[in-house]
Amino acid sequence: MRFTLYSRSYCHLCEDMLNALQAMAPAGQAFEVDVIDVDADPALVERFDELVPVLYGRLDEPELCHYFLDAEAVRRYLDRELVRAS
């Protein structure tokens, strides 16, 4: 499973979301999480700025959540991805 987390290096909410997401991984199966620093790209700052952290599953779909992890949205995404993979 792959996620993209738009984040900031000094953001405690971002760290909290990443830790909460990783804690949801099934035993023995880690998630791949691409952590993107929005401050490295002015276009990302313009797009996300005060919304970080912002979590995506598939980048061509709407965000799963921002500010705080929405565990239910992540579970629904994981269920959909498991169906797609089978």
Side-chain angles (χ1 to χ4, degrees):
M1 300 291 163
R2 177 173 293 264
F3 293 90
T4 301
L5 178 63
Y6 291 95
S7 179
R8 285 196 159 96
S9 60
Y10 56 86
C11 171
H12 75 283
L13 290 177
C14 300
E15 292 173 23
D16 292 347
M17 184 179 286
L18 179 59
N19 291 335
L21 176 63
Q22 290 172 332
M24 291 184 68
Q29 183 181 19
F31 296 136
E32 291 184 42
V33 182
D34 297 321
V35 179
I36 309 296
D37 184 352
V38 298
D39 293 321
D41 183 339
L44 293 177
V45 171
E46 185 175 326
R47 181 176 174 191
F48 296 112
D49 198 20
E50 297 301 317
L51 286 178
V52 296
V54 181
L55 182 66
Y56 282 84
R58 292 178 175 260
L59 292 176
D60 61 344
E61 295 179 357
E63 71 181 52
L64 295 173
C65 52
H66 62 269
Y67 299 137
F68 302 100
L69 185 75
D70 181 340
E72 186 57 37
V74 170
R75 279 189 205 95
R76 284 192 307 267
Y77 170 75
L78 292 172
D79 290 345
R80 280 195 337 261
E81 289 302 298
L82 289 172
V83 169
R84 285 180 180 173
S86 59

